[in-house]
Amino acid sequence: MPTVSVKRDLLFQALGRTYTDEEFDELCFEFGLELDEITSEKEIISKEQGNVKAAGASDVVLYKIDVPANRYDLLCLEGLVRGLQVFKERIKAPVYKRVMPDGKIQKLIITEETAKIRPFAVAAVLRNIKFTKDRYDSFIELQEKLHQNICRKRALVAIGTHDLDTLSGPFTYTAKRPSDIKFKPLNKTKEYTACELMNIYKTDNHLKHYLHIIENKPLYPVIYDSNGVVLSMPPIINGDHSRITVNTRNIFIECTGTDFTKAKIVLDIIVTMFSEYCENQFTVEAAEVVFPNGKSHTFPELAYRKEMVRADLINKKVGIRETPENLAKLLTRMYLKSEVIGDGNQIEIEIPPTRADIIHACDIVEDAAIAYGYNNIQMTLPKTYTIANQFPLNKLTELLRHDMAAAGFTEALTFALCSQEDIADKLGVDISATKAVHISNPKTAEFQVARTTLLPGLLKTIAANRKMPLPLKLFEISDIVIKDSNTGPAFFPGRCAEIFARGQSVGKLGVLHPDVITKFELTMPCSSLEINVGPFL
Amino acid sequence: MADGQVAELLLRRLEASDGGLDSAELAAELGMEHQAVVGAVKSLQALGEVIEAELRSTKHWELTAEGEEIAREGSHEARVFRSIPPEGLAQSELMRLPSGKVGFSKAMSNKWIRVDKSAADGPRVFRVVDSMEDEVQRRLQLVRGGQAEKLGEKERSELRKRKLLAEVTLKTYWVSKGSAFSTSISKQETELSPEMISSGHLHPLLKVRSQFRQIFLEMGFTEMPTDNFIESSFWNFDALFQPQQHPARDQHDTFFLRDPAEALQLPMDYVQRVKRTHSQGGYGSQGYKYNWKLDEARKNLLRTHTTSASARALYRLAQKKPFTPVKYFSIDRVFRNETLDATHLAEFHQIEGVVADHGLTLGHLMGVLREFFTKLGITQLRFKPAYNPYTEPSMEVFSYHQGLKKWVEVGNSGVFRPEMLLPMGLPENVSVIAWGLSLERPTMIKYGINNIRELVGHKVNLQMVYDSPLCRLDAEPRPPPTQEAA
């Protein structure tokens, strides 16, 4: 779950009232959020680096709020406040408008070189915006949160925000050879080529995670303005020239990526959230993007969509009996402006660009239920009449377990994943003969394969319980994973047997070979029995 | 006296005593060696809780052999004094007396005697005082009488310097009644041979699993087949309408297989419908609008939830016409490639319940959950909006924990999305509600285990398995009945 960190007092100021921690916790519970932690910068540094380092840090109270993974509109203070205010009916949901500029429209031209690496781009302008330090921090933080979530760590979409007054359009989004790209990136004092930057950022704790997205490609994406100034080299870093400060008044936003739908959603989120601080509140200036095929599109889309849902459908799905008018009110509180139309049974719902998570009527049903209050819904039992059946394999297993324990054996529960050694070398077999299933990229040897026999797990359990009094009698009845059946020389020659039941081979038993015993770090003689339960069903 | 007899005497004395007794005192009373009493104490201790014995160390002063002699005969200086007649004694003669050498200088410094060096036949020793107090003897007698504390530090130190006193440490036992006190001794079985132990044990986690199976069966739920740890991405994710770019599908959270890497058998017509729903929408949905890839869906993995088994079961159900309502459950192992810590392992067990019927509501889901959790002894429930890629609405289930005095999450639930159910072929007015929780968490709470490694895997202490009690999910531990007031 994504976590948003907001200054408590700023939050309360924006909400227009204060809450006790308990009251706010309750509000979050109702709305589907979670007040995960109440802390401060000082406490955070103190926990991570000790009290000395924390000495000068701020002890302004911070609320860490967990937000559902599909609610991109709640990833910043601005969005949270707006959502909560509408939920509590203290404000009406603002309407976001795209407006054409007074002068020339800003243009972003995409060249065909980007096609192989990062084909999509969208852009918009926030005009006459007023930042304070907090608003500025929030703006940067939202980009980071979006990068981590919907953008899948910048792989799908990357956001670049620039001070428009330092640039001059039209802008070109192209891809060039790394050695041909040279600029002064954010937070650096001189120019570097892209190759040099890739090297430098290898040790940057933040940026090193994104290098792989373009590192090995022949061409790197880059955006220029009409004077050759580099705006950014997505998805790695922006140029220093156009960096945003608290005093920036006009912002040019570009989102590039490999997923067009997500790029559009991301752009919509940023502009809807922060257009609140534009002189012309909640308006966003349009930008034009020209694709390699010559076609142009205007962004941001800021599309409002209308959906029609029957009131009785909502009632039926939730299990309540609200009038269509009440349902419309409930939905409006969830930022889905609704009104009753037609025969009095239909509700027309307006879905704003901030709610990309609404893709089916069931999403609307959920919002109605949340506004109604889950805990206000009456609990009823379905009239579903069914006769229960056990899964035969599990039924037999339960019977066997109890009788094994009655026979004096103790049940073990071992891991299904183990090392190759455990099922091969230690049992005197070659791994290729085991027909085992192999895991890709195991973190440690313990996750290399899935067990093909239960024996290693039991032997490891004994090895870990060496100090227990003898005898040790263990059993386990559980799944193994094999590509097909195999036999193994784990047993002492002449001291093993194959088990037949009803004319079919069902397993093996015998005295374990001393090599097997030593490889599992055991010292006492050991015998084992393994039967496939399947044939007995 | 035989050991047993001493022990019995001790027990009887203990019974009569008020609070306890000291082993050294008892030895003195019974007129026996302290070691004999100590032996009895030790043999009683070996019987369990019959007595409680606290080892105490006491220091006390004892006379040395020389000190004993002086206490009896008097100090050297006193003896010297007494052996001097009124007319005096030649020093040379005096020195030949047994106490002479030692006693002379002391008697001189006490100013009891004097030497007349000018005497005719050599130095002559005369009494100075008529009588004297043999302090040293007196003091030693005090100590011998057990009253060493009447002497001052300095006096004791002096005597110790003269090697007449020694500080001795005596280890005694303070014996009191144990919780199993009785005046009769029964000999305990001191040797356990393997033949005596023939009991087997079931694993606590699997005992809890048996209880949950019972609960589901009591509620009319049929068990789904889950005997496949390996699953394809298609059934684990795509069929559940979880998009291919979802973070849960990357290497960090899921164990993908190297060999065999791909699932070859997939129901292709169903796969096509799923592809369309993801990429273009349909069935009333906008879809996710991205390029859905078959290769991605074929990737084999270790299942991350048993919901994949539920999807298979629902798909099978959808192929049977006409539709019949069902209740399904499963409890089985799942695999997550996440960070491991005290409460998380790569393998754990998931419990899942599913109801498919016409016209099921969120209220029905809550009702079923209430019945289910009531069977676990949990009656106070609260529901919170949540998010799952494949359910909408979704709810987290909370119950009130009396001990922690707060609401804790006990499960996750929701109504399966139409984008998941309709491509399977289920009728449009059929709703499917589902919920899940982990098996390990309630087990760890019930059995008081804090680290999951102490419960699952080969490093578990078998003693824990031997000792784990019955699993009664619906009973809260009851306080022991209070004793009747005397």
Side-chain angles (χ1 to χ4, degrees):
Chain A
M1 256 220 198
T3 307
V4 185
S5 190
V6 293
K7 291 184 182 163
R8 181 196 61 189
D9 296 337
L10 223 59
L11 177 66
F12 288 169
Q13 198 180 47
L15 287 172
R17 59 159 282 191
T18 59
Y19 289 83
T20 62
D21 292 338
E22 288 73 33
E23 285 169 338
F24 193 73
D25 191 52
E26 210 24 63
L27 175 61
C28 286
F29 195 95
E30 261 183 81
F31 197 53
L33 307 172
E34 189 174 331
L35 179 57
D36 188 47
E37 204 188 339
I38 303 171
T39 180
S40 68
E41 207 183 276
K42 199 179 211 152
E43 253 182 69
I44 297 171
I45 299 181
S46 193
K47 260 189 229 160
E48 290 172 10
Q49 303 176 40
N51 287 336
V52 177
K53 285 251 159 78
S58 149
D59 38 4
V60 164
V61 176
L62 296 175
Y63 270 176
K64 284 196 176 223
I65 303 173
D66 279 348
V67 157
N70 63 341
R71 291 298 295 273
Y72 315 116
D73 60 316
L74 300 176
L75 284 177
C76 58
L77 175 123
E78 288 76 10
L80 277 169
V81 167
R82 229 170 281 167
L84 288 169
Q85 294 292 67
V86 172
F87 183 58
K88 285 306 204 185
E89 291 179 287
R90 284 200 211 103
I91 61 166
K92 273 180 119 153
V95 179
Y96 308 105
K97 286 204 185 65
R98 180 180 77 194
V99 293
M100 295 312 262
D102 290 333
K104 252 181 31 170
I105 190 169
Q106 295 297 336
K107 259 200 187 141
L108 176 68
I109 302 161
I110 308 179
T111 71
E112 60 184 9
E113 284 83 357
T114 62
K116 291 220 178 71
I117 175 160
R118 209 169 171 83
F120 303 108
V122 295
V125 173
L126 285 173
R127 189 58 75 182
N128 293 321
I129 194 166
K130 192 107 196 289
F131 273 145
T132 62
K133 175 102 189 7
D134 285 319
R135 293 174 185 182
Y136 172 82
D137 288 343
S138 186
F139 188 63
I140 303 298
E141 192 52 29
L142 175 62
Q143 292 176 56
E144 201 34 49
K145 287 271 175 310
L146 289 169
H147 276 155
Q148 291 305 311
N149 283 299
I150 182 178
C151 302
R152 288 300 304 285
K153 298 203 175 87
R154 301 195 193 182
L156 300 181
V157 185
I159 307 161
T161 53
H162 313 276
D163 189 332
L164 188 54
D165 298 331
T166 65
L167 300 166
S168 130
F171 305 99
T172 310
Y173 172 45
T174 184
K176 278 191 155 156
R177 278 202 314 245
S179 46
D180 293 339
I181 301 174
K182 192 163 187 204
F183 67 105
K184 184 167 86 161
L186 212 51
N187 298 325
K188 292 270 183 254
T189 48
K190 66 183 190 94
E191 291 197 340
Y192 295 93
T193 64
C195 314
E196 291 171 323
L197 287 175
M198 283 293 155
N199 250 330
I200 294 172
Y201 291 141
K202 273 197 173 52
T203 51
D204 182 303
N205 275 327
H206 183 217
L207 296 177
K208 66 185 183 190
H209 305 286
Y210 310 120
L211 301 179
H212 71 96
I213 302 172
I214 58 170
E215 206 167 14
N216 298 320
K217 306 274 195 244
L219 305 177
Y220 287 1
V222 59
I223 306 180
Y224 293 100
D225 79 346
S226 62
N227 294 326
V229 172
V230 170
L231 276 73
S232 64
M233 186 174 73
I236 311 297
I237 189 86
N238 287 349
D240 189 72
H241 181 102
S242 54
R243 78 177 183 289
I244 305 226
T245 68
V246 169
N247 300 317
T248 304
R249 295 281 292 157
N250 300 299
I251 306 180
F252 179 70
I253 305 167
E254 38 85 3
C255 299
T256 59
T258 52
D259 185 317
F260 195 34
T261 309
K262 293 206 162 64
K264 288 190 276 187
I265 294 173
V266 166
L267 183 68
D268 280 354
I269 295 289
I270 300 178
V271 298
T272 50
M273 293 295 111
F274 284 90
S275 54
E276 181 180 340
Y277 304 132
C278 291
E279 209 169 84
N280 207 341
Q281 246 196 356
F282 302 119
T283 65
V284 184
E285 186 178 296
E288 193 182 314
V289 176
V290 184
F291 285 88
N293 60 6
K295 287 220 169 84
S296 3
H297 292 265
T298 315
F299 292 105
E301 283 192 348
L302 285 186
Y304 278 82
R305 201 174 89 231
K306 284 212 157 75
E307 289 288 344
M308 210 96 79
V309 180
R310 289 183 59 80
D312 59 3
L313 178 85
I314 301 178
N315 280 328
K316 253 178 46 188
K317 292 287 180 189
V318 178
I320 53 177
R321 287 217 194 97
E322 289 290 287
T323 64
E325 286 72 29
N326 278 347
L327 289 175
K329 270 215 198 103
L330 290 176
L331 289 170
T332 305
R333 283 177 57 202
M334 298 303 287
Y335 223 111
L336 300 172
K337 201 169 79 155
S338 307
E339 55 175 5
V340 182
I341 61 161
D343 58 355
N345 235 308
Q346 298 268 38
I347 303 179
E348 190 182 70
I349 300 143
E350 190 184 69
I351 300 162
T354 45
R355 295 304 300 273
D357 59 297
I358 307 278
I359 57 177
H360 189 285
C362 64
D363 298 299
I364 294 170
V365 168
E366 183 183 80
D367 273 13
I370 295 175
Y372 184 84
Y374 277 4
N375 295 295
N376 295 328
I377 301 171
Q378 196 190 17
M379 299 194 223
T380 51
L381 275 180
K383 294 188 173 66
T384 319
Y385 174 76
T386 52
I387 305 270
N389 283 311
Q390 298 183 53
F391 183 52
L393 182 64
N394 294 357
K395 187 171 180 174
L396 180 58
T397 301
E398 284 289 292
L399 295 171
L400 284 172
R401 285 176 66 227
H402 284 90
D403 276 2
M404 286 296 289
F409 287 81
T410 295
E411 193 170 29
L413 213 199
T414 63
F415 294 126
L417 298 180
C418 57
S419 66
Q420 282 190 35
E421 253 193 346
D422 283 335
I423 57 166
D425 312 29
K426 290 187 184 173
L427 295 177
V429 198
D430 189 71
I431 184 73
S432 53
T434 61
K435 305 288 182 146
V437 152
H438 292 255
I439 313 297
S440 72
N441 300 339
K443 279 194 188 133
T444 71
E446 290 303 304
F447 300 118
Q448 284 173 327
V449 292
R451 67 189 174 197
T452 52
T453 144
L454 294 175
L455 187 59
L458 292 186
L459 293 177
K460 282 157 85 168
T461 307
I462 298 179
N465 281 276
R466 260 181 277 260
K467 302 230 168 80
M468 295 295 290
L470 296 178
L472 280 174
K473 294 155 77 175
L474 299 184
F475 82 94
E476 185 168 9
I477 308 179
S478 184
D479 291 327
I480 56 166
V481 183
I482 38 167
K483 296 207 291 193
D484 57 62
S485 63
N486 69 298
T487 54
F491 295 107
F492 202 78
R495 286 281 199 274
C496 59
E498 202 170 345
I499 305 167
F500 284 84
R502 302 182 198 147
Q504 199 190 352
S505 170
V506 293
K508 312 180 281 295
L509 67 83
V511 174
L512 292 182
H513 195 286
D515 284 350
V516 174
I517 295 178
T518 350
K519 285 190 179 145
F520 279 96
E521 295 169 28
L522 302 177
T523 51
M524 301 290 285
C526 200
S527 49
S528 83
L529 168 140
E530 194 160 3
I531 300 183
N532 184 0
V533 171
F536 294 93
L537 291 172
Chain B
M1 233 196 237
D3 215 26
Q5 285 178 292
V6 181
E8 274 192 10
L9 265 180
L10 193 156
L11 287 175
R12 268 186 259 132
R13 280 296 169 103
L14 192 54
E15 187 179 31
S17 78
D18 196 15
L21 50 78
D22 178 86
S23 58
E25 278 175 25
L26 182 67
E29 266 180 52
L30 296 176
M32 60 177 68
E33 289 279 349
H34 184 230
Q35 267 315 109
V37 174
V38 171
V41 169
K42 290 218 179 276
S43 67
L44 285 170
Q45 269 184 317
L47 298 182
E49 312 270 21
V50 179
I51 56 162
E52 297 236 351
E54 192 192 311
L55 188 60
R56 286 183 183 179
S57 214
T58 49
K59 287 194 185 161
H60 65 234
W61 297 92
E62 262 183 7
L63 300 183
T64 59
E66 199 189 333
E68 279 288 328
E69 203 219 328
I70 293 182
R72 263 195 329 265
E73 312 288 334
S75 63
H76 297 293
E77 55 271 26
R79 283 183 249 168
V80 160
F81 182 83
R82 280 191 223 111
S83 51
I84 298 175
E87 63 272 19
L89 189 59
Q91 188 175 7
S92 45
E93 240 186 87
L94 184 65
M95 288 309 192
R96 267 185 258 125
L97 293 176
S99 296
K101 289 205 182 80
V102 182
F104 176 74
S105 45
K106 257 287 170 182
M108 280 295 283
S109 62
N110 287 352
K111 298 215 189 331
W112 290 348
I113 56 174
R114 63 179 171 86
V115 182
D116 186 357
K117 293 216 173 94
S118 60
D121 44 355
R124 207 165 176 83
V125 185
F126 289 97
R127 287 188 184 188
V128 169
V129 291
D130 285 329
S131 63
M132 52 80 213
E133 294 286 314
D134 191 351
E135 263 306 302
V136 174
Q137 184 189 33
R138 189 187 70 85
R139 286 175 195 167
L140 290 175
Q141 280 172 344
L142 269 180
V143 174
R144 191 175 54 175
Q147 296 179 338
E149 66 275 10
K150 292 219 170 117
L151 298 177
E153 260 309 295
K154 232 177 92 185
E155 294 159 344
R156 284 202 295 259
S157 272
E158 244 185 72
L159 292 171
R160 186 174 54 188
K161 275 200 206 116
R162 288 177 67 171
K163 301 210 165 82
L164 302 175
L165 269 195
E167 202 175 11
V168 164
T169 306
L170 180 64
K171 289 206 164 89
T172 63
Y173 282 94
W174 178 256
V175 186
S176 50
K177 296 181 193 154
S179 56
F181 179 74
S182 115
T183 50
S184 61
I185 309 169
S186 55
K187 188 166 195 299
Q188 300 257 323
E189 196 61 70
T190 48
E191 276 224 21
L192 280 175
S193 53
E195 286 69 44
M196 296 184 207
I197 312 173
S198 65
S199 50
H201 309 269
L202 292 173
H203 191 283
L205 187 79
L206 300 176
K207 286 203 270 222
V208 178
R209 185 183 69 177
S210 301
Q211 290 308 301
F212 272 103
R213 279 185 88 244
Q214 285 299 317
I215 290 174
F216 277 112
L217 293 168
E218 283 171 12
M219 290 173 70
F221 283 70
T222 287
E223 201 169 21
M224 290 184 271
T226 50
D227 53 333
N228 61 313
F229 288 167
I230 309 296
E231 189 53 277
S232 63
S233 289
F234 178 73
W235 286 108
N236 198 75
F237 294 123
D238 298 282
L240 300 176
F241 198 54
Q242 195 158 344
Q244 291 184 336
Q245 312 135 326
H246 194 278
R249 292 177 81 150
D250 78 48
Q251 297 271 11
H252 301 292
D253 291 344
T254 303
F255 287 107
F256 284 98
L257 296 193
R258 178 163 55 80
D259 170 33
E262 293 204 326
L264 302 170
Q265 299 264 36
L266 292 176
M268 287 320 285
D269 51 346
Y270 174 44
V271 168
Q272 285 308 313
R273 293 196 294 270
V274 169
K275 170 181 176 168
R276 229 187 5 255
T277 315
H278 277 240
S279 54
Q280 296 163 29
Y283 305 106
S285 173
Q286 299 283 311
Y288 293 123
K289 299 208 169 38
Y290 71 99
N291 272 337
W292 188 91
K293 299 205 179 81
L294 182 59
D295 289 342
E296 193 57 44
R298 286 202 189 279
K299 284 186 181 160
N300 276 334
L301 45 78
L302 283 164
R303 67 176 173 219
T304 60
H305 44 207
T306 45
T307 319
S308 51
S310 304
R312 283 182 182 267
L314 289 169
Y315 176 74
R316 261 194 309 271
L317 175 71
Q319 309 319 302
K320 290 198 211 129
K321 313 277 183 203
F323 169 79
T324 48
V326 295
K327 292 189 191 121
Y328 290 148
F329 83 94
S330 68
I331 306 174
D332 210 329
R333 202 178 296 223
V334 299
F335 304 82
R336 302 254 173 108
N337 194 7
E338 286 171 346
T339 337
L340 310 179
D341 60 34
T343 49
H344 294 91
L345 281 173
E347 307 180 28
F348 63 101
H349 294 74
Q350 201 174 17
I351 301 169
E352 182 149 317
V354 173
V355 182
D357 200 354
H358 299 282
L360 291 177
T361 70
L362 203 55
H364 286 133
L365 175 56
M366 293 160 82
V368 170
L369 287 168
R370 184 182 52 190
E371 291 310 312
F372 178 78
F373 282 102
T374 299
K375 284 181 180 287
L376 296 174
I378 296 173
T379 45
Q380 279 181 295
L381 289 180
R382 271 218 307 174
F383 301 93
K384 179 174 172 231
Y387 167 68
N388 290 321
Y390 37 84
T391 55
E392 186 90 3
S394 313
M395 300 193 302
E396 271 164 19
V397 189
F398 285 76
S399 88
Y400 192 72
H401 194 286
Q402 288 297 340
L404 296 174
K405 296 251 178 286
K406 64 174 188 169
W407 292 88
V408 292
E409 192 184 331
V410 291
N412 206 325
S413 67
V415 182
F416 281 134
R417 292 190 72 106
E419 294 98 329
M420 172 183 160
L421 304 174
L422 297 176
M424 287 179 180
L426 285 168
E428 221 181 290
N429 57 1
V430 166
S431 295
V432 183
I433 55 178
W435 77 98
L437 58 154
S438 95
L439 182 62
E440 279 74 2
R441 198 147 173 270
T443 306
M444 285 167 74
I445 293 171
K446 203 72 182 176
Y447 286 88
I449 298 172
N450 290 326
N451 189 322
I452 196 172
R453 278 162 197 71
E454 291 166 24
L455 178 65
V456 181
H458 55 267
K459 296 204 174 134
V460 158
N461 184 352
L462 284 176
Q463 193 64 50
M464 182 278 297
V465 181
Y466 291 168
D467 296 342
S468 71
L470 278 193
C471 169
R472 296 178 67 187
L473 288 178
D474 58 342
E476 273 307 300
R478 274 201 299 258
T482 51
Q483 304 274 356
E484 288 288 300

